[in-house]
Each structure stands twice: as structure tokens, then as C-alpha cells.
Amino acid sequence: MYQKSKPTLIVGGGFVGLFTALHLSHQKYQQPIVLIEPRDRFSFKPLLYELLSGELQAKQVHPRYTDLLAGSGVTIVQDTAVEIDLHHQRVVLASGRDYDYDRLVLALGSQTKYFNTPGATEYALPMTSGAEAIALRDRLQARLRQAIQTPDPQQRCPLLTVAIIGAGPSGIELACTLGDLLPLWYEDLGGDIDEVRVILINRSGELLKGDINSRLRSTAARSLKQRGVQMLFDTSVTAIYPDAIRCTKGDRTFSLKAGTIAWTAGTAPHPLLQELAINEPEHRDRQGRLLVTPTLQLPGFPEVFAAGDCATNHADPQPPTAQVAYQQGKAIAQNLQALVENKTLLPATVNLRGTLMKLGLNESVANLFDKFKIEGQPGHLVRTGTYLELLPHLRHNLKVTADWLTDEIFQRHRPVRSQRLGQTPWLSGMATIAAGLLIATPLVWRAAQPTQFQQQMNSTGMPALIDRMAPTK
């Protein structure tokens, strides 16, 4: 018999976990909801580059869970799950506390995969959270300050060299961002921007290999080249040291000195998934992700749902992107409600709406529905406008959109390279104003005329537009 005292547990506060909780609250879910997450802040991953560059602030991209869930009725427990007992329906936390659950949502996401590369965990900086973006920014700025105080060019060169390992979408977006940003920072210190080097290292011979963004390969390559990013293809990283990388390319082994080393080479399922008592090997894929039913339930455990980076449905595989996670969170919430009400559960349907990539300051590419490609500043406006619409809290949407348009109009983040290439600032600014108004007008209009759904969500301090076009990462 069902015990009301047992909560619905959500393990993991990423996109799937957070938005499952928010949708459950919006649906006035009658059972207690407990979200277990070790970190105190949510990371809006697609905008971490804006957090790194200072285009957006931590409270906008890296808000606290307590603020996001205020008034929602969701209990946030800042702790780490160390054991999940599916048969006894219990989750044990690192603090020693444990929870018996009636329903469980596994939203553990993924973790950085270093491929057993010696020194990678110690010396390479990932960028998968707000805290990691801030740590990378601090390292970069410290190296630039150190370089400006180093008179010897040979000693200065490594300090001004950034090596990025992995040429997937994250590596490309980071390389393009730093290709614009580091010269700006170094010039402010009085340095020679031509000394700055950004090197992108890739194990395969092509960019975006096997990725959902592969159609944007030529656009990405052109953007990297325009920013002077050096690319090393067919190059494996065999070891990482505090200020250097050992690489192999064919039969040749060489070392590359770099003051900052960033890792964007891959992810792996959360290790806790490997410890689940699932006897049937067919319930996992080759990457170790959980195989779920079309309703996102774990076979043999109908009270357990899983989605996002830690699970997949062989009948309808989806890329591990945020727009998928948004929609899966909503589907899980609806099916949890259906379970409580003894209604039929529905398969999760995901509508992919295209991809968005940041290709430097003020430049992006938007591949809408895989049919319409918008590049350059217009692509930047589409990408940023889409993401700003999804930021939690309606008041944040309005404020951040206004701040962003002000920055665009006055060219506050205009890359140095655009001035050196002879682009006309006032003409670019006029184009930005026109395009910005086209994008901002519907955002402000929707904010001024909230739907019933928005009003309900805003009354509990939740995202206003969580089911619209979502980020790709």
C-alpha cells in the first residue's frame, strides 16, 4: 500500500532533474518532492562561455537552487548519493542519511572522461559547470598577469599559450571565445596581442566528428581560422604536466608547453550507475548508460525513471543535449503525475529544433531545424535571445535582455580582431540594434503579456518559458 510519507526522489540537479521538479510543482504534484544535488548552484551550461567572458554574471548563469526553488514546495538536499538500492527503494547519501522513496528519478548526468590520460585529472581544467568556468577564467587571467611581468619572450610564450583538448562543440566554442577574449584581456594589460596562442588538439582528423553539429563543420573551421586558432588534427594526448602536454602524431612524439590546459574531450556516465543492481546486461548500452522504455522508465522497476546523459532509449535515441533534457524532464513529470492518478503513461516525445553554437564574442551560428543556417552577428543574436528567454525568473529575462542589448548597441564586447580587419563599428552597431529589436520585441511582449502558464510558474519563482526552444548543450 502506498505510503504518503515516502517522497519522490530526484537524484541530480541538472536540466532533467531541475525541470522535472519544476514541472511537478507546477502540476501541483501531491507527493513530497526531494531533489538531491551536491552543488549549491545550477549551471546553465550553454551560457558558461558568457560567464567566462564576463558577458553575463554568475547570478544569471549560475544561480542558487534555493533561489530557483523558492516557493515551489520542492525540498533541496545538498548532498551526494553514494548508494541506490533499487530493490529496497532506498538512496543512501554521503552524510550517512538515507531516504526511502516511492518514485525515483535518476538524473545523474555525466562526468568528464579523461581516457586514463596521466596527469589529466590533476592539471587539465574541464568546463562543465559554473564553478569550473570561473576557475578557468581565474587561471587564464593569472597567466596573463604573470606574462606581462615576464620580460623574457621564451618564458613568456608558454604563459600566453592555451591548449584545448577535444574538438567537439565544447572545444570549438571555447577556442573561438578565447581567440577573441584573450587578446582583449592582454591588450588591457598592455601586452602584445600577437603573442597570444590558442591551440585546439583533436584525436581525429576532423572537427565535430559524429556530433549532432557536424553539418556546421565548415562554419566552425572558418571561425577558428579567422581567430588564429591553431589546430592539431590526428594528435593524441598521452600525458599532461603542470605546464606542458605530451602528444603523439603518427610515429612522432613531441611536447607542447602551455600555461593553461583545458579538457573538452569527452564524457562518461556517472559511476554510480555502474553499481545499480541490474542483472540483465541488455539494460545498459556500450557506454554504460541505462536503457529505458519509451516512457523513460527503467525495465523491471516501473517506479524508476531515468533520462538525460545517463540514459537512452534504443527505439528513439536522442543526443545528450539540453533541449532534449528539458523535454524529457517535462515528460517524466507528466508520467509521474499519471502514476499517482492511475492513468496511462505516455511515451516521451522529443522535438529537435536545431542547434546553436557560439563561435566567438558577438558571433554564433544557428542551425534552425537543420534547414536554416544563420551565421555571424545575426546568429549570435538568435542564439543569445533564445537562451536569455530560458533563463530562470521572468524578471531576470527582462533585466538580462536589457543589459545584453545595451552591450550590443555600445559594442562593449566587440572583438579586437573586428577592428583590425577594418569593420565599421557604427555600421555593425546599427545592424545589431535592428536585429536586436526584432528579437527583443517578442521577448518583452511575451513578458508583458504572460500566459496563464507563465503566471502560474512565475508565482512560484520558476522559469517562465521552459518548454520553448532549448539549448543544444
Side-chain angles (χ1 to χ4, degrees):
M1 184 174 178
Y2 181 78
Q3 301 178 34
K4 289 188 176 181
S5 59
K6 290 185 179 181
T8 291
L9 289 188
I10 302 173
V11 183
F15 287 107
V16 169
L18 176 63
F19 284 92
T20 296
L22 294 176
H23 276 291
L24 286 175
S25 178
H26 166 63
Q27 294 167 184
K28 301 188 184 302
Y29 189 68
Q30 294 301 308
Q31 308 306 327
I33 307 166
V34 177
L35 175 62
I36 299 171
E37 166 59 43
R39 293 170 290 195
D40 67 332
R41 292 175 179 268
F42 173 73
S43 293
F44 196 94
K45 291 185 179 180
L47 292 179
L48 291 182
Y49 310 99
E50 280 76 6
L51 177 61
L52 170 69
S53 66
E55 295 169 89
L56 292 174
Q57 301 174 14
K59 64 181 179 181
Q60 299 161 338
V61 182
H62 193 38
R64 295 184 184 278
Y65 283 102
T66 51
D67 294 335
L68 295 176
L69 296 171
S72 67
V74 177
T75 300
I76 176 73
V77 176
Q78 190 179 344
D79 208 333
T80 301
V82 295
E83 181 184 348
I84 299 175
D85 188 337
L86 297 177
H87 294 284
H88 294 92
Q89 298 185 205
R90 180 179 300 122
V91 173
V92 180
L93 306 183
S95 63
R97 189 176 182 182
D98 61 74
Y99 281 90
D100 292 330
Y101 63 83
D102 188 72
R103 323 278 187 204
L104 174 66
V105 178
L106 295 175
L108 290 162
S110 59
Q111 64 178 14
T112 302
K113 185 177 182 178
Y114 293 104
F115 302 99
N116 297 317
T117 306
T121 56
E122 295 87 354
Y123 306 120
L125 299 177
M127 189 171 156
T128 62
S129 69
E132 291 173 351
I134 293 171
L136 178 57
R137 180 191 65 195
D138 292 345
R139 167 71 67 83
L140 291 166
Q141 292 180 340
R143 290 293 192 243
L144 294 179
R145 290 192 298 268
Q146 189 178 353
I148 204 67
Q149 298 172 2
T150 304
D152 186 345
Q154 290 187 343
Q155 296 180 6
R156 191 168 61 242
C157 180
L159 298 172
L160 297 172
T161 300
V162 179
I164 301 171
I165 303 169
S170 297
I172 291 170
E173 289 181 304
L174 180 58
C176 287
T177 299
L178 295 184
D180 282 341
L181 186 62
L182 293 180
L184 285 173
W185 283 351
Y186 198 47
E187 186 179 52
D188 286 342
L189 295 173
D192 181 358
I193 62 176
D194 292 327
E195 293 183 319
V196 175
R197 289 199 307 165
V198 178
I199 303 174
L200 185 61
I201 304 171
N202 196 41
R203 185 168 54 179
S204 72
E206 59 185 4
L207 301 171
L208 299 169
K209 184 176 181 179
D211 189 81
I212 189 176
N213 295 281
S214 59
R215 295 183 181 181
L216 304 178
R217 184 176 294 123
S218 60
T219 302
R222 183 169 62 251
S223 295
L224 290 165
K225 184 177 180 181
Q226 289 173 345
R227 286 157 178 80
V229 175
Q230 301 175 34
M231 289 174 277
L232 295 178
F233 292 110
D234 297 311
T235 302
S236 298
V237 175
T238 57
I240 298 178
Y241 306 98
D243 297 302
I245 301 173
R246 188 176 69 212
C247 303
T248 59
K249 183 178 177 65
D251 296 331
R252 187 167 66 96
T253 298
F254 62 95
S255 293
L256 173 67
K257 292 184 177 181
T260 304
I261 302 166
W263 186 280
T264 62
T267 60
H270 195 283
L272 193 57
L273 299 178
Q274 301 300 322
E275 301 175 10
L276 292 179
I278 301 176
N279 297 324
E280 297 82 357
E282 61 270 20
H283 288 172
R284 305 181 197 271
D285 69 358
R286 291 193 301 175
Q287 287 76 40
R289 295 177 299 178
L290 301 175
L291 296 179
V292 294
T293 67
T295 54
L296 303 180
Q297 291 169 287
L298 194 62
F301 299 92
E303 73 281 357
V304 180
F305 293 79
D309 294 0
C310 70
T312 187
N313 172 18
H314 267 342
D316 184 27
Q318 298 292 341
T321 63
Q323 64 170 309
V324 172
Y326 271 97
Q327 296 175 66
Q328 289 178 334
K330 182 177 181 180
I332 289 175
Q334 291 173 339
N335 279 335
L336 282 168
Q337 186 72 31
L339 277 178
V340 172
E341 298 175 356
N342 293 317
K343 294 182 178 179
T344 302
L345 277 63
L346 299 177
T349 58
V350 174
N351 297 311
L352 296 178
R353 299 158 185 173
T355 59
L356 307 170
M357 285 185 65
K358 183 178 179 68
L359 297 178
L361 300 182
N362 303 293
E363 290 194 28
S364 299
V365 57
N367 189 22
L368 305 182
F369 301 99
D370 289 328
K371 294 181 179 180
F372 308 102
K373 188 165 64 174
I374 305 174
E375 301 180 26
Q377 289 186 33
H380 158 70
L381 294 166
V382 170
R383 174 186 176 273
T384 310
T386 298
Y387 288 157
L388 292 181
E389 188 181 9
L390 288 162
L391 286 173
H393 295 297
L394 179 61
R395 62 181 181 275
H396 285 179
N397 290 342
L398 290 172
K399 183 181 186 305
V400 178
T401 300
D403 291 343
W404 166 61
L405 281 176
T406 301
D407 288 343
E408 292 296 327
I409 291 170
F410 291 101
Q411 309 288 287
R412 291 179 181 173
H413 296 292
R414 187 65 52 209
V416 173
R417 65 173 189 85
S418 65
Q419 300 173 9
R420 292 163 62 197
L421 291 174
Q423 295 182 9
T424 307
W426 69 266
L427 183 60
S428 176
M430 292 300 294
T432 297
I433 294 172
L437 288 175
L438 287 174
I439 293 175
T441 298
L443 295 181
V444 174
W445 174 257
R446 279 194 293 269
Q449 303 288 335
T451 64
Q452 182 180 5
F453 173 75
Q454 290 172 319
Q455 291 171 340
Q456 292 172 338
M457 294 292 279
N458 292 334
S459 67
T460 57
M462 301 178 197
L465 297 162
I466 62 178
D467 60 348
R468 293 186 181 274
M469 180 175 178
T472 63
K473 290 182 49 195

